[in-house]
Amino acid sequence: MMNYEFDTHTHTLVSGHAYHTMSEMAQAAAAKGLKMIGITDHAPQMPGAPHLYYFSNLRYLDREELSRIYGIALLLGAEANIVDKNGNLDLSDRVLGGLDVVIASLHIPCFAPGTREENTRAAICALRNPLVDIIGHPEDGRYPMDYEAVVQAAKEEQKFLEINNSSFMPGAYRKNGRENGIEILKLCKKHQLHIVINSDAHSITEIGNYRNVEPLLRETQFPEELIANTSVTYFRERIAQNKRKAGILRQ
């Protein structure tokens, strides 16, 4: 069993369709033996998502104090929505710059699926945004992409692609998740690109749940050293390095 140290894609009550508070999510993650959790609620364009001010105010929360209270390192961020083929997001750079981790994802209510070329362009443009750390659930086949191009762009930008556990759950609404997930893993292995495995948890029971991803890792013989979740230190250093390169200081 692989030793996973963190889960950076989770949602709380404020996303509008999740079921627990930040405190409950953090404490559940600590109880499961994780060292770090990312709270990445849906950005404003998703129906039911919190107001822009919620994300603006995250910069004022004392992460160190909260980590002591909850017994686990805490990243406060967002799952931002890609809103067009140019990779624009529904949070401004000013707001994004105050977050600890930014996942950029394609969601049906926020950007209708385009052509393979348009979807690929949207993902690559988002990867080139210095404030984006991770592309969320790229295995969603409702947005067909040139995965080779996306993986190469992620490698060039030193960003992470996410392999999302919820895409492989029985009855998952994302299309062709398993087939696409295997293709992405094979390409990441080929290009030596680090991935992040995330639960996309909307409740405390799903935090750190990667059981649907693990069969794909075995099938593709994916190298453990390319799974960022095995080291909190490595993950945090990588996202900090990207911001330093861009001349952006996180608060």
Side-chain angles (χ1 to χ4, degrees):
M1 184 75 175
M2 206 171 297
N3 180 32
Y4 301 112
E5 294 192 348
F6 63 82
D7 185 350
T8 56
H9 187 164
T10 70
H11 298 278
T12 73
L13 278 171
V14 302
S15 281
H17 57 272
Y19 300 95
H20 294 94
T21 65
M22 182 189 298
S23 174
E24 290 168 333
M25 297 293 278
Q27 290 173 353
K32 292 184 178 187
L34 294 179
K35 296 181 179 180
M36 184 174 74
I37 185 174
I39 303 295
T40 49
D41 283 304
H42 286 289
Q45 194 151 322
M46 178 66 80
H51 192 274
L52 172 65
Y53 294 169
Y54 170 83
F55 298 99
S56 299
N57 284 341
L58 288 176
R59 69 179 64 207
Y60 300 116
L61 295 181
D62 187 330
R63 273 69 159 164
E64 291 187 9
E65 181 62 23
L66 288 172
S67 295
R68 283 193 290 271
I69 292 170
Y70 300 146
I72 186 171
L74 195 66
L75 297 180
L76 301 180
E79 183 180 15
N81 297 292
I82 299 172
V83 296
D84 59 33
K85 65 182 179 182
N86 294 318
N88 289 308
L89 305 178
D90 60 341
L91 289 172
S92 69
D93 286 353
R94 183 187 65 80
V95 174
L96 292 170
L99 302 178
D100 301 325
V101 61
V102 176
I103 302 170
S105 300
L106 290 160
H107 291 113
I108 297 291
C110 306
F111 175 47
T115 65
R116 186 171 184 263
E117 291 73 23
E118 288 171 338
N119 300 330
T120 301
R121 175 183 172 85
I124 290 175
C125 288
L127 281 165
R128 289 176 177 158
N129 183 334
L131 292 160
V132 169
D133 301 304
I134 301 167
I135 294 294
H137 44 74
E139 66 278 343
D140 185 352
R142 297 175 301 174
Y143 293 92
M145 295 183 196
D146 179 346
Y147 287 128
E148 181 97 39
V150 172
V151 168
Q152 287 178 328
K155 180 73 174 181
E156 289 169 7
E157 299 296 330
Q158 291 294 289
K159 303 295 181 66
F160 296 103
L161 293 186
E162 174 188 82
I163 302 297
N164 189 301
N165 187 75
S166 67
S167 295
F168 316 113
M169 295 174 65
Y173 57 85
R174 294 176 190 145
K175 184 180 177 183
N176 298 328
R178 185 179 189 280
E179 295 85 349
N180 294 337
I182 288 173
E183 182 179 355
I184 292 168
L185 287 170
K186 287 180 176 178
L187 287 167
C188 289
K189 182 178 176 181
K190 171 185 172 183
H191 292 285
Q192 294 292 286
L193 176 68
H194 280 81
I195 62 167
V196 174
I197 302 172
N198 280 324
S199 69
D200 204 351
H202 286 61
S203 73
I204 59 174
T205 59
E206 292 303 307
I207 296 169
N209 173 12
Y210 306 137
R211 60 177 174 268
N212 297 309
V213 175
E214 288 174 341
L216 278 67
L217 298 176
R218 291 192 293 269
E219 183 172 336
T220 57
Q221 297 182 315
F222 196 79
E224 182 175 344
E225 60 267 23
L226 291 179
I227 301 174
N229 303 64
T230 58
S231 173
V232 165
T233 300
Y234 171 77
F235 178 80
R236 299 193 78 159
E237 286 178 350
R238 265 283 293 275
I239 60 175
Q241 181 182 36
N242 286 329
K243 301 306 175 281
R244 286 195 296 270
K245 284 181 181 177
I248 298 165
L249 297 177
R250 288 181 187 259
Q251 297 187 14

